[in-house]
Amino acid sequence: MKKFVIMSILSVVLGFLSCDAQSKGYKSVDAKSFAKIIKDTAVVRLDVRTPEEYAEGHIEKAINIDVMNNNFETTAMSILPQNKTIALYCRSGNRSKKAAGILAEKGYKVVELNSGYKGWKAFKEQR
């Protein structure tokens, strides 16, 4: 009986954890995984920082749509193809989570660079 109760509690806890991971609707990855994902030319690269930050440096072939702009959602939906994976990033990984959530909610398949452009640059410097 004791074993059954413990297994039941464990099952419920694990169920909640898996639901939470799925509820955000996007995948958050490190720079090494992000690099592998964007090697696929069908993947759309999206920089969600300000135009000024983008101008200072960005991942090659990335489109820039500022997530803090009031029309981010409208602009993104008019530019980004719904049938392709969107690989996005910001400076440090905070704004990109917001953008990833918005796009995932609209049905996009989204991969987010959890360490942002700062992490990307550090990763590239190590290589």
Side-chain angles (χ1 to χ4, degrees):
M1 180 69 177
K2 197 175 195 181
K3 191 175 187 179
F4 175 75
V5 171
I6 292 171
M7 292 302 286
S8 295
I9 291 171
L10 196 61
S11 177
V12 169
V13 169
L14 290 174
F16 280 127
L17 290 175
S18 70
C19 286
D20 185 48
Q22 291 174 359
S23 70
K24 66 182 180 181
Y26 62 88
K27 190 174 181 182
S28 188
V29 299
D30 63 15
K32 185 176 182 179
S33 297
F34 196 80
K36 289 178 187 174
I37 291 165
I38 65 172
K39 278 186 179 181
D40 181 347
T41 56
V43 172
V44 177
R45 302 169 186 194
L46 176 63
D47 185 318
V48 298
R49 300 175 300 157
T50 66
E52 294 79 20
E53 289 172 303
Y54 180 84
E56 291 173 4
H58 56 273
I59 295 175
E60 187 178 354
K61 299 179 184 171
I63 297 167
N64 179 227
I65 307 173
D66 183 357
V67 71
M68 300 311 285
N69 192 314
N70 289 335
N71 63 357
F72 170 77
E73 187 176 317
T74 306
T75 303
M77 292 193 65
S78 69
I79 293 173
L80 302 173
Q82 190 88 33
N83 62 341
K84 295 191 178 191
T85 299
I86 310 300
L88 60 84
Y89 65 94
C90 65
R91 184 181 63 85
S92 62
N94 293 321
R95 288 174 283 175
S96 59
K97 286 171 183 47
K98 176 182 178 174
I102 291 168
L103 295 177
E105 192 174 281
K106 294 298 177 187
Y108 286 90
K109 181 178 178 188
V110 181
V111 177
E112 178 260 343
L113 176 57
N114 63 13
S115 59
Y117 189 65
K118 288 170 77 174
W120 178 259
K121 284 176 42 178
F123 167 72
K124 289 305 219 177
E125 288 170 5
Q126 291 175 349
R127 300 181 89 205

